[in-house]
Amino acid sequence: MHDEDKDVSRRDFFKTVGVGSIATAVVAGVKDTAAQGPAAIGPDEVPITLTINGQRHQLRVEPRVTLLDAMRTRLDITGQKRVCDRGACGACTVIIEGRTYYSCSMLALEAQGRNIRTVDGLAKGNVLHPVQQAFCDHDGLMCGFCTPGFVMATVALLEKNPNPTPEQAKRALDGNLCRCGTNIGVLKAALSAKGVSRG
Ligand code: FES
Ligand code: FES
């Protein structure tokens, strides 16, 4: 995620706000012995509703389950990949209300009531989203594990800034890693994709 106003990169932001929100959620789930404390949730499964790519899904998860695992193992929405599972690689990147998040580092509970977007929802039938097409045109993928995260980070960038400079694109994508070395192709794709409308 890239907060342009404060010039804070996604990785910087995650280190601060992301960890803080997880800590808050975990604390909320711990049995509180104080009379005024938050209500305990879990450890058994609880019902939740997630809105993903415009569709509402009702499911039951333990409070400790991440958004990524809820999508992949409960809902069979497998576009975003589980690679590091610790907020380091960006393969699990989703867009929530215009901002990118590592879905491996967000609890499913936290994502309720928000519009979650994954790579699964980008194409219209057989027609790829302009960013997906640009990745194909510029060889922005090899093994493909990092690709869904890069695609979503690029979509988030171009929805805010349709004509980024190379520096802006690099900064917006600095929370994503590719071990196959496709970064040049990814950057070309991010700079050439056109027709991305505001999400
Ligand atoms: S799998 Fe989430 S950041 Fe690597
Ligand atoms: S294409 Fe293989 S990790 Fe990026």
Side-chain angles (χ1 to χ4, degrees), residues 68 81-92 102-105:
L68 179 65
K81 304 304 181 209
R82 191 178 196 251
V83 178
C84 71
D85 204 26
R86 58 178 62 186
C89 75
C92 62
Y102 295 149
S103 59
C104 73
S105 302

Side-chain angles (χ1 to χ4, degrees), residues 28-162:
V30 172
K31 290 205 171 179
D32 183 27
T33 53
Q36 302 295 321
I41 301 173
D44 296 333
E45 290 185 346
V46 293
I48 64 169
T49 302
L50 297 175
T51 303
I52 304 171
N53 300 323
Q55 288 199 327
R56 281 165 57 88
H57 301 269
Q58 293 184 320
L59 63 159
R60 297 181 66 85
V61 295
E62 293 177 15
R64 66 185 176 86
V65 171
T66 65
L67 173 60
L68 179 65
D69 282 346
M71 292 193 299
R72 290 183 58 82
T73 66
R74 299 302 182 88
L75 300 175
D76 205 26
I77 298 172
T78 57
Q80 304 321 122
K81 304 304 181 209
R82 191 178 196 251
V83 178
C84 71
D85 204 26
R86 58 178 62 186
C89 75
C92 62
T93 300
V94 297
I95 300 175
I96 300 178
E97 287 143 16
R99 304 178 80 164
T100 50
Y101 291 83
Y102 295 149
S103 59
C104 73
S105 302
M106 168 182 275
L107 296 173
L109 287 173
E110 291 181 282
Q112 291 191 94
R114 305 168 80 181
N115 183 22
I116 303 153
R117 294 165 62 202
T118 74
V119 74
D120 311 84
L122 291 182
K124 304 288 182 218
N126 291 330
V127 180
L128 293 178
H129 184 280
V131 171
Q132 292 174 306
Q133 187 61 56
F135 271 66
C136 295
D137 294 343
H138 294 280
D139 289 333
L141 64 158
M142 288 178 74
C143 78
F145 270 90
C146 71
T147 311
F150 266 117
V151 167
M152 295 312 286
T154 304
V155 169
L157 165 68
L158 297 181
E159 286 180 349
K160 283 187 204 145
N161 178 3

